[in-house]
PDB file of all heavy atoms in Angstrom:
ATOM      1  N   ALA A   1       0.841  -1.206   0.000  1.00  0.00           N
ATOM      2  CA  ALA A   1       0.000   0.000   0.000  1.00  0.00           C
ATOM      3  C   ALA A   1       0.870   1.248   0.000  1.00  0.00           C
ATOM      4  O   ALA A   1       0.570   2.243  -0.676  1.00  0.00           O
ATOM      5  CB  ALA A   1      -0.927  -0.002   1.215  1.00  0.00           C
ATOM      6  N   GLY A   2       1.979   1.202   0.756  1.00  0.00           N
ATOM      7  CA  GLY A   2       2.902   2.326   0.774  1.00  0.00           C
ATOM      8  C   GLY A   2       3.538   2.564  -0.580  1.00  0.00           C
ATOM      9  O   GLY A   2       3.669   3.711  -1.036  1.00  0.00           O
ATOM     10  N   VAL A   3       3.926   1.478  -1.247  1.00  0.00           N
ATOM     11  CA  VAL A   3       4.499   1.593  -2.594  1.00  0.00           C
ATOM     12  C   VAL A   3       3.480   2.173  -3.567  1.00  0.00           C
ATOM     13  O   VAL A   3       3.792   3.062  -4.371  1.00  0.00           O
ATOM     14  CB  VAL A   3       4.992   0.217  -3.079  1.00  0.00           C
ATOM     15  CG1 VAL A   3       5.331   0.254  -4.573  1.00  0.00           C
ATOM     16  CG2 VAL A   3       6.197  -0.228  -2.272  1.00  0.00           C
ATOM     17  N   TYR A   4       2.266   1.685  -3.498  1.00  0.00           N
ATOM     18  CA  TYR A   4       1.206   2.160  -4.397  1.00  0.00           C
ATOM     19  C   TYR A   4       0.971   3.662  -4.224  1.00  0.00           C
ATOM     20  O   TYR A   4       0.672   4.375  -5.180  1.00  0.00           O
ATOM     21  CB  TYR A   4      -0.085   1.388  -4.126  1.00  0.00           C
ATOM     22  CG  TYR A   4      -1.175   1.634  -5.138  1.00  0.00           C
ATOM     23  CD1 TYR A   4      -1.099   1.074  -6.407  1.00  0.00           C
ATOM     24  CD2 TYR A   4      -2.278   2.428  -4.840  1.00  0.00           C
ATOM     25  CE1 TYR A   4      -2.091   1.288  -7.349  1.00  0.00           C
ATOM     26  CE2 TYR A   4      -3.273   2.656  -5.766  1.00  0.00           C
ATOM     27  CZ  TYR A   4      -3.175   2.081  -7.027  1.00  0.00           C
ATOM     28  OH  TYR A   4      -4.157   2.306  -7.965  1.00  0.00           O
ATOM     29  N   ALA A   5       1.169   4.132  -2.977  1.00  0.00           N
ATOM     30  CA  ALA A   5       0.945   5.552  -2.691  1.00  0.00           C
ATOM     31  C   ALA A   5       2.162   6.420  -2.985  1.00  0.00           C
ATOM     32  O   ALA A   5       2.080   7.645  -2.879  1.00  0.00           O
ATOM     33  CB  ALA A   5       0.528   5.731  -1.235  1.00  0.00           C
ATOM     34  N   GLY A   6       3.297   5.792  -3.342  1.00  0.00           N
ATOM     35  CA  GLY A   6       4.448   6.589  -3.740  1.00  0.00           C
ATOM     36  C   GLY A   6       5.745   6.323  -3.030  1.00  0.00           C
ATOM     37  O   GLY A   6       6.754   6.982  -3.324  1.00  0.00           O
ATOM     38  N   ALA A   7       5.802   5.382  -2.091  1.00  0.00           N
ATOM     39  CA  ALA A   7       7.068   5.046  -1.441  1.00  0.00           C
ATOM     40  C   ALA A   7       8.046   4.507  -2.476  1.00  0.00           C
ATOM     41  O   ALA A   7       7.657   3.807  -3.412  1.00  0.00           O
ATOM     42  CB  ALA A   7       6.855   4.018  -0.334  1.00  0.00           C
ATOM     43  N   THR A   8       9.326   4.824  -2.300  1.00  0.00           N
ATOM     44  CA  THR A   8      10.341   4.396  -3.268  1.00  0.00           C
ATOM     45  C   THR A   8      11.313   3.361  -2.697  1.00  0.00           C
ATOM     46  O   THR A   8      12.182   2.880  -3.405  1.00  0.00           O
ATOM     47  CB  THR A   8      11.141   5.611  -3.761  1.00  0.00           C
ATOM     48  OG1 THR A   8      11.724   6.284  -2.634  1.00  0.00           O
ATOM     49  CG2 THR A   8      10.244   6.577  -4.518  1.00  0.00           C
ATOM     50  N   GLN A   9      11.168   3.044  -1.422  1.00  0.00           N
ATOM     51  CA  GLN A   9      11.996   2.010  -0.788  1.00  0.00           C
ATOM     52  C   GLN A   9      11.123   1.194   0.153  1.00  0.00           C
ATOM     53  O   GLN A   9      10.249   1.740   0.824  1.00  0.00           O
ATOM     54  CB  GLN A   9      13.152   2.649  -0.008  1.00  0.00           C
ATOM     55  CG  GLN A   9      14.009   1.643   0.765  1.00  0.00           C
ATOM     56  CD  GLN A   9      15.157   2.289   1.520  1.00  0.00           C
ATOM     57  OE1 GLN A   9      16.106   2.768   0.928  1.00  0.00           O
ATOM     58  NE2 GLN A   9      15.052   2.308   2.851  1.00  0.00           N
ATOM     59  N   VAL A  10      11.379  -0.123   0.197  1.00  0.00           N
ATOM     60  CA  VAL A  10      10.665  -1.014   1.109  1.00  0.00           C
ATOM     61  C   VAL A  10      11.686  -1.760   1.958  1.00  0.00           C
ATOM     62  O   VAL A  10      12.666  -2.296   1.438  1.00  0.00           O
ATOM     63  CB  VAL A  10       9.787  -2.030   0.345  1.00  0.00           C
ATOM     64  CG1 VAL A  10       9.060  -2.932   1.332  1.00  0.00           C
ATOM     65  CG2 VAL A  10       8.799  -1.329  -0.550  1.00  0.00           C
ATOM     66  N   GLU A  11      11.442  -1.805   3.268  1.00  0.00           N
ATOM     67  CA  GLU A  11      12.325  -2.508   4.181  1.00  0.00           C
ATOM     68  C   GLU A  11      11.677  -3.834   4.570  1.00  0.00           C
ATOM     69  O   GLU A  11      10.502  -3.875   4.947  1.00  0.00           O
ATOM     70  CB  GLU A  11      12.620  -1.636   5.405  1.00  0.00           C
ATOM     71  CG  GLU A  11      13.128  -0.260   4.976  1.00  0.00           C
ATOM     72  CD  GLU A  11      13.782   0.541   6.067  1.00  0.00           C
ATOM     73  OE1 GLU A  11      13.831   0.060   7.225  1.00  0.00           O
ATOM     74  OE2 GLU A  11      14.253   1.655   5.756  1.00  0.00           O
ATOM     75  N   CYS A  12      12.442  -4.911   4.450  1.00  0.00           N
ATOM     76  CA  CYS A  12      11.860  -6.240   4.605  1.00  0.00           C
ATOM     77  C   CYS A  12      12.933  -7.231   5.012  1.00  0.00           C
ATOM     78  O   CYS A  12      14.117  -6.897   5.090  1.00  0.00           O
ATOM     79  CB  CYS A  12      11.200  -6.676   3.289  1.00  0.00           C
ATOM     80  SG  CYS A  12      12.282  -6.485   1.842  1.00  0.00           S
ATOM     81  N   THR A  13      12.522  -8.471   5.269  1.00  0.00           N
ATOM     82  CA  THR A  13      13.454  -9.542   5.627  1.00  0.00           C
ATOM     83  C   THR A  13      13.115 -10.796   4.842  1.00  0.00           C
ATOM     84  O   THR A  13      11.960 -11.028   4.464  1.00  0.00           O
ATOM     85  CB  THR A  13      13.406  -9.874   7.131  1.00  0.00           C
ATOM     86  OG1 THR A  13      12.093 -10.350   7.463  1.00  0.00           O
ATOM     87  CG2 THR A  13      13.736  -8.674   7.985  1.00  0.00           C
ATOM     88  N   VAL A  14      14.121 -11.617   4.604  1.00  0.00           N
ATOM     89  CA  VAL A  14      13.899 -12.901   3.948  1.00  0.00           C
ATOM     90  C   VAL A  14      13.039 -13.782   4.846  1.00  0.00           C
ATOM     91  O   VAL A  14      13.284 -13.893   6.047  1.00  0.00           O
ATOM     92  CB  VAL A  14      15.239 -13.593   3.647  1.00  0.00           C
ATOM     93  CG1 VAL A  14      15.010 -14.965   3.011  1.00  0.00           C
ATOM     94  CG2 VAL A  14      16.095 -12.714   2.731  1.00  0.00           C
ATOM     95  N   ASN A  15      12.008 -14.354   4.289  1.00  0.00           N
ATOM     96  CA  ASN A  15      11.053 -15.217   5.002  1.00  0.00           C
ATOM     97  C   ASN A  15      10.234 -14.478   6.059  1.00  0.00           C
ATOM     98  O   ASN A  15       9.537 -15.100   6.849  1.00  0.00           O
ATOM     99  CB  ASN A  15      11.766 -16.409   5.667  1.00  0.00           C
ATOM    100  CG  ASN A  15      12.536 -17.250   4.674  1.00  0.00           C
ATOM    101  OD1 ASN A  15      12.120 -17.405   3.527  1.00  0.00           O
ATOM    102  ND2 ASN A  15      13.660 -17.788   5.076  1.00  0.00           N
ATOM    103  N   GLY A  16      10.353 -13.145   6.086  1.00  0.00           N
ATOM    104  CA  GLY A  16       9.586 -12.367   7.063  1.00  0.00           C
ATOM    105  C   GLY A  16      10.056 -12.522   8.493  1.00  0.00           C
ATOM    106  O   GLY A  16       9.320 -12.198   9.428  1.00  0.00           O
ATOM    107  N   VAL A  17      11.308 -13.007   8.707  1.00  0.00           N
ATOM    108  CA  VAL A  17      11.789 -13.191  10.069  1.00  0.00           C
ATOM    109  C   VAL A  17      11.924 -11.832  10.757  1.00  0.00           C
ATOM    110  O   VAL A  17      12.148 -10.808  10.109  1.00  0.00           O
ATOM    111  CB  VAL A  17      13.138 -13.944  10.100  1.00  0.00           C
ATOM    112  CG1 VAL A  17      12.977 -15.344   9.548  1.00  0.00           C
ATOM    113  CG2 VAL A  17      14.217 -13.185   9.336  1.00  0.00           C
ATOM    114  N   GLY A  18      11.782 -11.825  12.064  1.00  0.00           N
ATOM    115  CA  GLY A  18      11.895 -10.581  12.805  1.00  0.00           C
ATOM    116  C   GLY A  18      11.259 -10.693  14.170  1.00  0.00           C
ATOM    117  O   GLY A  18      10.689 -11.725  14.533  1.00  0.00           O
ATOM    118  N   GLU A  19      11.366  -9.625  14.929  1.00  0.00           N
ATOM    119  CA  GLU A  19      10.828  -9.631  16.284  1.00  0.00           C
ATOM    120  C   GLU A  19       9.321  -9.839  16.288  1.00  0.00           C
ATOM    121  O   GLU A  19       8.616  -9.448  15.364  1.00  0.00           O
ATOM    122  CB  GLU A  19      11.166  -8.307  16.979  1.00  0.00           C
ATOM    123  CG  GLU A  19      12.647  -8.174  17.312  1.00  0.00           C
ATOM    124  CD  GLU A  19      12.906  -6.999  18.224  1.00  0.00           C
ATOM    125  OE1 GLU A  19      12.948  -5.860  17.740  1.00  0.00           O
ATOM    126  OE2 GLU A  19      13.071  -7.231  19.442  1.00  0.00           O
ATOM    127  N   ARG A  20       8.850 -10.450  17.358  1.00  0.00           N
ATOM    128  CA  ARG A  20       7.427 -10.750  17.550  1.00  0.00           C
ATOM    129  C   ARG A  20       6.904 -11.568  16.354  1.00  0.00           C
ATOM    130  O   ARG A  20       7.388 -12.674  16.108  1.00  0.00           O
ATOM    131  CB  ARG A  20       6.622  -9.463  17.773  1.00  0.00           C
ATOM    132  CG  ARG A  20       7.141  -8.613  18.925  1.00  0.00           C
ATOM    133  CD  ARG A  20       6.249  -7.419  19.206  1.00  0.00           C
ATOM    134  NE  ARG A  20       5.876  -6.663  18.033  1.00  0.00           N
ATOM    135  CZ  ARG A  20       6.637  -5.728  17.466  1.00  0.00           C
ATOM    136  NH1 ARG A  20       7.815  -5.424  17.967  1.00  0.00           N
ATOM    137  NH2 ARG A  20       6.211  -5.077  16.385  1.00  0.00           N
ATOM    138  N   ALA A  21       5.959 -11.034  15.601  1.00  0.00           N
ATOM    139  CA  ALA A  21       5.386 -11.776  14.467  1.00  0.00           C
ATOM    140  C   ALA A  21       6.183 -11.587  13.195  1.00  0.00           C
ATOM    141  O   ALA A  21       5.815 -12.128  12.145  1.00  0.00           O
ATOM    142  CB  ALA A  21       3.933 -11.345  14.248  1.00  0.00           C
ATOM    143  N   GLY A  22       7.269 -10.829  13.251  1.00  0.00           N
ATOM    144  CA  GLY A  22       8.131 -10.701  12.092  1.00  0.00           C
ATOM    145  C   GLY A  22       7.919  -9.428  11.291  1.00  0.00           C
ATOM    146  O   GLY A  22       7.158  -8.535  11.661  1.00  0.00           O
ATOM    147  N   ASN A  23       8.612  -9.371  10.155  1.00  0.00           N
ATOM    148  CA  ASN A  23       8.609  -8.223   9.259  1.00  0.00           C
ATOM    149  C   ASN A  23       7.920  -8.584   7.950  1.00  0.00           C
ATOM    150  O   ASN A  23       7.523  -9.723   7.730  1.00  0.00           O
ATOM    151  CB  ASN A  23      10.043  -7.780   8.960  1.00  0.00           C
ATOM    152  CG  ASN A  23      10.754  -7.186  10.154  1.00  0.00           C
ATOM    153  OD1 ASN A  23      10.695  -7.726  11.253  1.00  0.00           O
ATOM    154  ND2 ASN A  23      11.419  -6.079   9.962  1.00  0.00           N
ATOM    155  N   ALA A  24       7.835  -7.612   7.070  1.00  0.00           N
ATOM    156  CA  ALA A  24       7.339  -7.885   5.716  1.00  0.00           C
ATOM    157  C   ALA A  24       8.301  -8.852   5.039  1.00  0.00           C
ATOM    158  O   ALA A  24       9.521  -8.673   5.098  1.00  0.00           O
ATOM    159  CB  ALA A  24       7.231  -6.587   4.925  1.00  0.00           C
ATOM    160  N   ALA A  25       7.758  -9.887   4.397  1.00  0.00           N
ATOM    161  CA  ALA A  25       8.578 -10.922   3.761  1.00  0.00           C
ATOM    162  C   ALA A  25       9.058 -10.450   2.397  1.00  0.00           C
ATOM    163  O   ALA A  25       8.255 -10.129   1.520  1.00  0.00           O
ATOM    164  CB  ALA A  25       7.775 -12.211   3.625  1.00  0.00           C
ATOM    165  N   LEU A  26      10.369 -10.438   2.214  1.00  0.00           N
ATOM    166  CA  LEU A  26      10.965  -9.987   0.954  1.00  0.00           C
ATOM    167  C   LEU A  26      10.401 -10.722  -0.238  1.00  0.00           C
ATOM    168  O   LEU A  26      10.021 -10.108  -1.245  1.00  0.00           O
ATOM    169  CB  LEU A  26      12.487 -10.156   1.028  1.00  0.00           C
ATOM    170  CG  LEU A  26      13.302  -9.800  -0.223  1.00  0.00           C
ATOM    171  CD1 LEU A  26      14.676  -9.267   0.178  1.00  0.00           C
ATOM    172  CD2 LEU A  26      13.476 -10.976  -1.163  1.00  0.00           C
ATOM    173  N   GLU A  27      10.357 -12.058  -0.142  1.00  0.00           N
ATOM    174  CA  GLU A  27       9.947 -12.854  -1.308  1.00  0.00           C
ATOM    175  C   GLU A  27       8.504 -12.577  -1.707  1.00  0.00           C
ATOM    176  O   GLU A  27       8.173 -12.559  -2.908  1.00  0.00           O
ATOM    177  CB  GLU A  27      10.160 -14.349  -1.034  1.00  0.00           C
ATOM    178  CG  GLU A  27       9.373 -14.945   0.117  1.00  0.00           C
ATOM    179  CD  GLU A  27       9.948 -14.632   1.480  1.00  0.00           C
ATOM    180  OE1 GLU A  27      11.032 -14.016   1.564  1.00  0.00           O
ATOM    181  OE2 GLU A  27       9.293 -15.002   2.471  1.00  0.00           O
ATOM    182  N   GLU A  28       7.648 -12.320  -0.739  1.00  0.00           N
ATOM    183  CA  GLU A  28       6.251 -12.026  -1.053  1.00  0.00           C
ATOM    184  C   GLU A  28       6.108 -10.631  -1.656  1.00  0.00           C
ATOM    185  O   GLU A  28       5.358 -10.424  -2.622  1.00  0.00           O
ATOM    186  CB  GLU A  28       5.405 -12.163   0.212  1.00  0.00           C
ATOM    187  CG  GLU A  28       5.398 -13.579   0.786  1.00  0.00           C
ATOM    188  CD  GLU A  28       4.675 -13.676   2.122  1.00  0.00           C
ATOM    189  OE1 GLU A  28       3.766 -12.861   2.365  1.00  0.00           O
ATOM    190  OE2 GLU A  28       5.037 -14.551   2.931  1.00  0.00           O
ATOM    191  N   LEU A  29       6.826  -9.670  -1.093  1.00  0.00           N
ATOM    192  CA  LEU A  29       6.789  -8.305  -1.622  1.00  0.00           C
ATOM    193  C   LEU A  29       7.262  -8.250  -3.063  1.00  0.00           C
ATOM    194  O   LEU A  29       6.595  -7.686  -3.942  1.00  0.00           O
ATOM    195  CB  LEU A  29       7.697  -7.410  -0.774  1.00  0.00           C
ATOM    196  CG  LEU A  29       7.112  -6.785   0.479  1.00  0.00           C
ATOM    197  CD1 LEU A  29       8.228  -6.221   1.335  1.00  0.00           C
ATOM    198  CD2 LEU A  29       6.144  -5.675   0.099  1.00  0.00           C
ATOM    199  N   VAL A  30       8.431  -8.822  -3.291  1.00  0.00           N
ATOM    200  CA  VAL A  30       9.038  -8.731  -4.614  1.00  0.00           C
ATOM    201  C   VAL A  30       8.204  -9.440  -5.662  1.00  0.00           C
ATOM    202  O   VAL A  30       7.999  -8.918  -6.775  1.00  0.00           O
ATOM    203  CB  VAL A  30      10.476  -9.293  -4.569  1.00  0.00           C
ATOM    204  CG1 VAL A  30      11.048  -9.423  -5.977  1.00  0.00           C
ATOM    205  CG2 VAL A  30      11.358  -8.400  -3.719  1.00  0.00           C
ATOM    206  N   MET A  31       7.681 -10.620  -5.324  1.00  0.00           N
ATOM    207  CA  MET A  31       6.886 -11.342  -6.314  1.00  0.00           C
ATOM    208  C   MET A  31       5.522 -10.699  -6.530  1.00  0.00           C
ATOM    209  O   MET A  31       4.945 -10.803  -7.616  1.00  0.00           O
ATOM    210  CB  MET A  31       6.751 -12.811  -5.922  1.00  0.00           C
ATOM    211  CG  MET A  31       8.064 -13.589  -6.042  1.00  0.00           C
ATOM    212  SD  MET A  31       8.957 -13.316  -7.601  1.00  0.00           S
ATOM    213  CE  MET A  31       7.809 -14.059  -8.786  1.00  0.00           C
ATOM    214  N   ALA A  32       4.994 -10.018  -5.508  1.00  0.00           N
ATOM    215  CA  ALA A  32       3.753  -9.267  -5.711  1.00  0.00           C
ATOM    216  C   ALA A  32       3.987  -8.114  -6.675  1.00  0.00           C
ATOM    217  O   ALA A  32       3.183  -7.878  -7.598  1.00  0.00           O
ATOM    218  CB  ALA A  32       3.227  -8.740  -4.373  1.00  0.00           C
ATOM    219  N   LEU A  33       5.094  -7.384  -6.491  1.00  0.00           N
ATOM    220  CA  LEU A  33       5.419  -6.286  -7.407  1.00  0.00           C
ATOM    221  C   LEU A  33       5.698  -6.815  -8.816  1.00  0.00           C
ATOM    222  O   LEU A  33       5.320  -6.192  -9.811  1.00  0.00           O
ATOM    223  CB  LEU A  33       6.636  -5.522  -6.893  1.00  0.00           C
ATOM    224  CG  LEU A  33       6.451  -4.741  -5.587  1.00  0.00           C
ATOM    225  CD1 LEU A  33       7.780  -4.159  -5.121  1.00  0.00           C
ATOM    226  CD2 LEU A  33       5.417  -3.638  -5.753  1.00  0.00           C
ATOM    227  N   ASN A  34       6.346  -7.965  -8.884  1.00  0.00           N
ATOM    228  CA  ASN A  34       6.697  -8.552 -10.176  1.00  0.00           C
ATOM    229  C   ASN A  34       5.460  -9.095 -10.897  1.00  0.00           C
ATOM    230  O   ASN A  34       5.269  -8.864 -12.099  1.00  0.00           O
ATOM    231  CB  ASN A  34       7.713  -9.672  -9.953  1.00  0.00           C
ATOM    232  CG  ASN A  34       8.289 -10.208 -11.245  1.00  0.00           C
ATOM    233  OD1 ASN A  34       8.993  -9.497 -11.947  1.00  0.00           O
ATOM    234  ND2 ASN A  34       8.011 -11.461 -11.547  1.00  0.00           N
ATOM    235  N   THR A  35       4.634  -9.805 -10.148  1.00  0.00           N
ATOM    236  CA  THR A  35       3.450 -10.443 -10.757  1.00  0.00           C
ATOM    237  C   THR A  35       2.380  -9.417 -11.101  1.00  0.00           C
ATOM    238  O   THR A  35       1.693  -9.539 -12.110  1.00  0.00           O
ATOM    239  CB  THR A  35       2.876 -11.499  -9.788  1.00  0.00           C
ATOM    240  OG1 THR A  35       3.911 -12.436  -9.458  1.00  0.00           O
ATOM    241  CG2 THR A  35       1.701 -12.244 -10.416  1.00  0.00           C
ATOM    242  N   ARG A  36       2.227  -8.390 -10.266  1.00  0.00           N
ATOM    243  CA  ARG A  36       1.201  -7.384 -10.503  1.00  0.00           C
ATOM    244  C   ARG A  36       1.811  -6.034 -10.907  1.00  0.00           C
ATOM    245  O   ARG A  36       1.393  -4.968 -10.442  1.00  0.00           O
ATOM    246  CB  ARG A  36       0.341  -7.215  -9.243  1.00  0.00           C
ATOM    247  CG  ARG A  36      -0.510  -8.430  -8.906  1.00  0.00           C
ATOM    248  CD  ARG A  36      -1.393  -8.895 -10.073  1.00  0.00           C
ATOM    249  NE  ARG A  36      -2.147  -7.813 -10.699  1.00  0.00           N
ATOM    250  CZ  ARG A  36      -3.316  -7.359 -10.272  1.00  0.00           C
ATOM    251  NH1 ARG A  36      -3.886  -7.929  -9.215  1.00  0.00           N
ATOM    252  NH2 ARG A  36      -3.927  -6.381 -10.899  1.00  0.00           N
ATOM    253  N   ALA A  37       2.788  -6.119 -11.803  1.00  0.00           N
ATOM    254  CA  ALA A  37       3.398  -4.888 -12.308  1.00  0.00           C
ATOM    255  C   ALA A  37       2.373  -4.006 -13.008  1.00  0.00           C
ATOM    256  O   ALA A  37       2.514  -2.781 -13.041  1.00  0.00           O
ATOM    257  CB  ALA A  37       4.534  -5.238 -13.265  1.00  0.00           C
ATOM    258  N   ASP A  38       1.314  -4.631 -13.531  1.00  0.00           N
ATOM    259  CA  ASP A  38       0.255  -3.858 -14.172  1.00  0.00           C
ATOM    260  C   ASP A  38      -0.455  -2.944 -13.174  1.00  0.00           C
ATOM    261  O   ASP A  38      -0.911  -1.853 -13.521  1.00  0.00           O
ATOM    262  CB  ASP A  38      -0.767  -4.798 -14.815  1.00  0.00           C
ATOM    263  CG  ASP A  38      -1.419  -5.732 -13.785  1.00  0.00           C
ATOM    264  OD1 ASP A  38      -0.706  -6.256 -12.909  1.00  0.00           O
ATOM    265  OD2 ASP A  38      -2.645  -5.921 -13.864  1.00  0.00           O
ATOM    266  N   HIS A  39      -0.520  -3.379 -11.915  1.00  0.00           N
ATOM    267  CA  HIS A  39      -1.226  -2.619 -10.882  1.00  0.00           C
ATOM    268  C   HIS A  39      -0.304  -1.605 -10.198  1.00  0.00           C
ATOM    269  O   HIS A  39      -0.686  -0.444 -10.004  1.00  0.00           O
ATOM    270  CB  HIS A  39      -1.806  -3.576  -9.841  1.00  0.00           C
ATOM    271  CG  HIS A  39      -2.522  -2.902  -8.712  1.00  0.00           C
ATOM    272  ND1 HIS A  39      -3.731  -2.267  -8.865  1.00  0.00           N
ATOM    273  CD2 HIS A  39      -2.170  -2.751  -7.401  1.00  0.00           C
ATOM    274  CE1 HIS A  39      -4.115  -1.765  -7.701  1.00  0.00           C
ATOM    275  NE2 HIS A  39      -3.181  -2.043  -6.793  1.00  0.00           N
ATOM    276  N   TYR A  40       0.891  -2.053  -9.831  1.00  0.00           N
ATOM    277  CA  TYR A  40       1.794  -1.190  -9.076  1.00  0.00           C
ATOM    278  C   TYR A  40       2.658  -0.301  -9.970  1.00  0.00           C
ATOM    279  O   TYR A  40       3.222   0.690  -9.496  1.00  0.00           O
ATOM    280  CB  TYR A  40       2.682  -2.027  -8.149  1.00  0.00           C
ATOM    281  CG  TYR A  40       1.897  -2.705  -7.056  1.00  0.00           C
ATOM    282  CD1 TYR A  40       1.592  -4.062  -7.123  1.00  0.00           C
ATOM    283  CD2 TYR A  40       1.427  -1.991  -5.962  1.00  0.00           C
ATOM    284  CE1 TYR A  40       0.854  -4.693  -6.125  1.00  0.00           C
ATOM    285  CE2 TYR A  40       0.692  -2.597  -4.957  1.00  0.00           C
ATOM    286  CZ  TYR A  40       0.402  -3.952  -5.052  1.00  0.00           C
ATOM    287  OH  TYR A  40      -0.339  -4.556  -4.075  1.00  0.00           O
ATOM    288  N   ALA A  41       2.809  -0.672 -11.229  1.00  0.00           N
ATOM    289  CA  ALA A  41       3.599   0.113 -12.189  1.00  0.00           C
ATOM    290  C   ALA A  41       5.006   0.387 -11.674  1.00  0.00           C
ATOM    291  O   ALA A  41       5.532   1.494 -11.792  1.00  0.00           O
ATOM    292  CB  ALA A  41       2.891   1.422 -12.525  1.00  0.00           C
ATOM    293  N   CYS A  42       5.610  -0.621 -11.063  1.00  0.00           N
ATOM    294  CA  CYS A  42       6.979  -0.483 -10.575  1.00  0.00           C
ATOM    295  C   CYS A  42       7.603  -1.867 -10.468  1.00  0.00           C
ATOM    296  O   CYS A  42       6.918  -2.888 -10.541  1.00  0.00           O
ATOM    297  CB  CYS A  42       7.016   0.234  -9.228  1.00  0.00           C
ATOM    298  SG  CYS A  42       6.080  -0.594  -7.938  1.00  0.00           S
TER     299      CYS A  42
END
């Protein structure tokens, strides 16, 4: 949602590892941007 609104950098971790419930998962973010390039235009 942040990217769609204009963010130019995303902070994430491989497999979403991180404190408590974790962070945004790199592999999911990147493949969402890649698969839905028509929507995110990036």
Side-chain angles (χ1 to χ4, degrees):
V3 169
Y4 189 74
T8 57
Q9 176 179 290
V10 180
E11 307 195 358
C12 50
T13 62
V14 178
N15 302 326
V17 297
E19 289 191 281
R20 305 186 312 277
N23 292 45
L26 177 148
E27 62 282 355
E28 297 174 28
L29 274 167
V30 171
M31 290 313 294
L33 293 174
N34 188 66
T35 304
R36 293 306 311 275
D38 60 318
H39 178 70
Y40 294 103
C42 59

